[in-house]
């Protein structure tokens, strides 16, 4: 579809007009030969153009470049080293500006992002045959952490410890997941029981589905 393109061009009188007089551009006069000096609008009508819609004014928000996602501010500046909230999800932009996926260390804390870049939180994650727990803030759990009714133990790198000989003083009740029996310190099998989780009270243990040892 043909369209007209308007441009500004400097219209100059010929160095020698028909009467031998030159007219410099911008003098505001119209010479006898009909040529006009100064800035004038020229309208060109090309035979064909493939322009079907106006060009974009600029790039803002999420943009994908070579398979990686980036976030541009309202001014078009690329954002980096920061969190971006979008709806109910949180994303992290790395130092290069690329959106994080998989494991990412942010300020000394490990987080995990799914393939869409959304931070995962409040859930268990199996990674390389090891279990991790991502807390409500998204941070990987380390040390003793209460999950549901029971306390679980994790290494300093966040890997879940599958069984422990002793429970912390604030959660001394041992829970055996294989038998779903919990043991109090006074029970005969308490010392030799390897706990998969610990409880602060018998009420918590029962809520988690355990029953008390008989002796």
């Amino acid at each position: 579809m043909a369209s007209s393109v308007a441009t500004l061009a400097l219209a100059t009188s010929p160095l020698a007009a028909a009467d031998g007089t030159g007219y410099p551009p911008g003098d505001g006069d119209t010479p006898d030969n009909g040529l006009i000096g100064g800035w004038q609008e020229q309208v060109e009508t090309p035979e064909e153009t493939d322009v079907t819609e106006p060009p974009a004014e600029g790039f803002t928000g999420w943009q994908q470049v070579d398979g990686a996602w980036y976030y541009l501010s309202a001014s078009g500046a690329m954002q980096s080293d920061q969190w971006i909230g979008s709806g109910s999800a949180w994303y992290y932009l790395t130092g290069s500006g690329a959106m994080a996926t998989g494991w990412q260390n942010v300020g000394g804390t490990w987080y995990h992002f799914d393939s869409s870049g959304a931070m995962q939180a409040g859930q268990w994650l199996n990674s390389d045959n090891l279990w991790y727990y991502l807390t409500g803030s998204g941070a990987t759990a380390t040390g003793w952490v209460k999950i549901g009714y029971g306390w679980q133990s994790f290494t300093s790198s966040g890997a879940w410890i599958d069984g422990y000989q002793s429970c912390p003083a604030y959660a001394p009740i041992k829970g055996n997941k294989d038998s779903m029996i919990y043991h109090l310190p006074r029970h005969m099998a308490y010392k030799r029981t390897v706990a998969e989780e610990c409880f602060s009270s018998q009420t918590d243990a029962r809520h988690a589905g355990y029953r008390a040892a008989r002796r």
Side-chain angles (χ1 to χ4, degrees):
M1 179 178 70
S3 63
S4 296
V5 180
T7 61
L8 287 177
L10 182 62
T12 60
S13 300
L15 293 179
D19 60 0
T21 304
Y23 294 90
D27 63 357
D29 296 327
T30 302
D32 294 339
N33 61 8
L35 296 177
I36 301 175
W39 288 101
Q40 305 295 328
E41 186 180 64
Q42 296 179 342
V43 178
E44 301 174 1
T45 304
E47 294 182 1
E48 196 71 30
T49 177
D50 58 359
V51 177
T52 57
E53 58 184 35
E57 294 182 358
F59 294 104
T60 61
W62 290 106
Q63 301 293 332
Q64 189 177 41
V65 180
D66 295 332
W69 285 94
Y70 298 82
Y71 190 85
L72 280 62
S73 68
S75 67
M78 183 190 75
Q79 306 298 289
S80 63
D81 284 322
Q82 65 177 281
W83 292 91
I84 295 290
S86 181
S88 60
W90 283 95
Y91 303 83
Y92 186 74
L93 305 173
T94 64
S96 69
M99 178 188 71
T101 57
W103 288 108
Q104 183 70 35
N105 189 299
V106 181
T109 300
W110 285 98
Y111 296 84
H112 194 272
F113 302 84
D114 65 21
S115 58
S116 73
M119 182 193 75
Q120 296 178 280
Q123 65 187 82
W124 288 91
L125 174 73
N126 187 290
S127 178
D128 295 330
N129 295 319
L130 293 175
W131 283 99
Y132 299 83
Y133 186 74
L134 307 172
T135 64
S137 69
T140 301
T142 59
W144 286 99
V145 177
K146 190 174 184 180
I147 302 172
Y149 294 104
W151 290 82
Q152 308 279 349
S153 185
F154 301 84
T155 66
S156 59
S157 65
W160 176 62
I161 299 174
D162 185 10
Y164 15 91
Q165 196 65 44
S166 60
C167 290
Y170 49 81
I173 302 172
K174 292 182 176 181
N176 186 320
K177 280 193 172 183
D178 293 332
S179 63
M180 292 304 292
I181 293 175
Y182 67 84
H183 299 263
L184 300 173
R186 69 171 182 267
H187 288 152
M188 291 179 59
Y190 183 81
K191 287 186 177 181
R192 68 172 180 266
T193 297
V194 175
E196 280 81 31
E197 60 182 325
C198 302
F199 299 96
S200 297
S201 68
Q202 293 189 67
T203 300
D204 283 347
R206 292 191 188 103
H207 282 157
Y210 288 80
R211 64 178 178 82
R214 289 192 175 88
R215 54 182 183 174

